[in-house]
Amino acid sequence: MIHTYTVTGMTCNGCKASVEKALNTLKNVEVVSIDLETAEVKLDLTADVSTEILKQALPSKYSLSVKESKPLSNTFSEENTDNNNELRQLFPLFLIFGYLLAASILINFNMFNLENFMLDFMGLFYIVFSFFKFLDLNGFKESFKMYDPLANKQPAYGWVYPFIELLLGVMFLMRVQLPLALIATIIILGITTFGVTKTLLNKKSIQCACLGTALKLPMTKATFIENSIMIIMAIIMLFKTYN
């Protein structure tokens, strides 16, 4: 059953992440979906959870009240609506990927070389994605630790991560210490992809921090595919480097 609540006190994406984390720890809470602008929180419950339990789970700065309740019969239509909204939300991600792909092709248009194309794509990927994270560094850190295992254990890693992306982007574009950059890519994106996979399997509804918090992107298979493409490219290039 889907229950809808109003939670006041959320002023930023960090607050949103805090509320999501608190509610996701409760028994019988399957999915948490939050609209920060309307302060609306939707909970997909496997069994009834009292309002008092929900209130107690939240930090004292937040206030929760019941908005409405919807039966299971409405779930299918709501899922279709959610899927359409999800595609619209992911449009910026697809658009950026298209621009990066086009830019990488144009850079290598006169003398196309697959290896150079992949290096340029990875470099541009890191530069552009780090830019969006820098727009709200604290908000990114809070959202990132919701699914990245290392950022969850070591919060400082979430703060450093955009700087690592920026450095790797420069290394790829300048062709500096490529083996190190490729190995780092496999490791850091491997850790993140593990967290993304776990989140998707648990069917948790959280915000993807791949483009920071400036753009509200849901955590979907697109995030998994995006990371996987980078990891595969890095493995191919690393193999070519040592063969």
Side-chain angles (χ1 to χ4, degrees):
M1 178 177 288
I2 295 178
H3 291 267
T4 306
Y5 303 87
T6 297
V7 175
T8 57
M10 296 186 296
T11 58
C12 63
N13 284 291
C15 296
K16 177 182 174 182
S18 178
V19 171
E20 285 179 345
K21 184 176 181 179
L23 295 176
N24 271 316
T25 60
L26 293 176
K27 184 180 179 181
N28 298 323
V29 175
E30 187 75 15
V31 178
V32 179
S33 179
I34 298 178
D35 189 324
L36 188 59
E37 293 181 358
T38 61
E40 184 179 88
V41 177
K42 288 186 178 181
L43 301 181
D44 191 348
L45 306 175
T46 56
D48 284 335
V49 179
S50 70
T51 305
E52 283 305 312
I53 292 177
L54 295 174
K55 289 180 179 179
Q56 291 172 10
L58 295 176
S60 58
K61 66 177 289 188
Y62 306 113
S63 176
L64 180 142
S65 60
V66 179
K67 188 171 184 180
E68 61 179 302
S69 182
K70 297 184 179 181
L72 286 173
S73 59
N74 292 332
T75 302
F76 181 75
S77 60
E78 287 188 358
E79 284 181 350
N80 285 338
T81 302
D82 289 342
N83 287 337
N84 291 332
N85 290 335
E86 191 174 274
L87 288 175
R88 284 196 294 270
Q89 287 176 309
L90 287 173
F91 177 73
L93 180 62
F94 297 143
L95 186 63
I96 290 172
F97 247 81
Y99 268 80
L100 294 178
L101 186 64
S104 301
I105 292 173
L106 290 173
I107 290 172
N108 296 276
F109 184 76
N110 290 329
M111 298 181 63
F112 188 82
N113 178 282
L114 184 59
E115 293 180 18
N116 285 331
F117 163 78
M118 288 193 290
L119 290 173
D120 289 331
F121 180 87
M122 288 190 285
L124 292 172
F125 175 96
Y126 278 130
I127 295 291
V128 172
F129 276 59
S130 67
F131 165 79
F132 283 99
K133 294 177 177 69
F134 280 122
L135 293 177
D136 182 11
L137 195 54
N138 288 327
F140 162 74
K141 183 184 69 170
E142 292 299 320
S143 296
F144 191 50
K145 71 180 183 181
M146 292 291 294
Y147 60 89
D148 185 272
L150 185 54
N152 182 262
K153 297 292 183 182
Q154 299 292 333
Y157 175 66
W159 189 87
V160 174
Y161 189 85
F163 294 92
I164 296 175
E165 280 197 330
L166 179 60
L167 177 61
L168 289 174
V170 172
M171 291 171 72
F172 280 122
L173 292 177
M174 298 296 293
R175 308 297 194 260
V176 176
Q177 294 292 327
L178 288 180
L180 178 61
L182 292 167
I183 292 171
T185 293
I186 294 170
I187 293 174
I188 66 172
L189 290 185
I191 293 172
T192 302
T193 303
F194 174 80
V196 169
T197 303
K198 186 177 179 181
T199 300
L200 293 175
L201 291 176
N202 291 336
K203 297 181 179 179
K204 290 185 177 181
S205 178
I206 64 174
Q207 181 175 337
C208 175
C210 56
L211 286 174
T213 58
L215 297 174
K216 297 178 180 179
L217 300 178
M219 178 66 69
T220 65
K221 293 177 181 177
T223 310
F224 174 83
I225 294 171
E226 158 208 321
N227 287 349
S228 298
I229 290 173
M230 288 288 288
I231 292 172
I232 291 171
M233 282 186 174
I235 292 173
I236 292 173
M237 291 303 302
L238 194 62
F239 179 80
K240 288 181 175 292
T241 300
Y242 289 102
N243 285 278

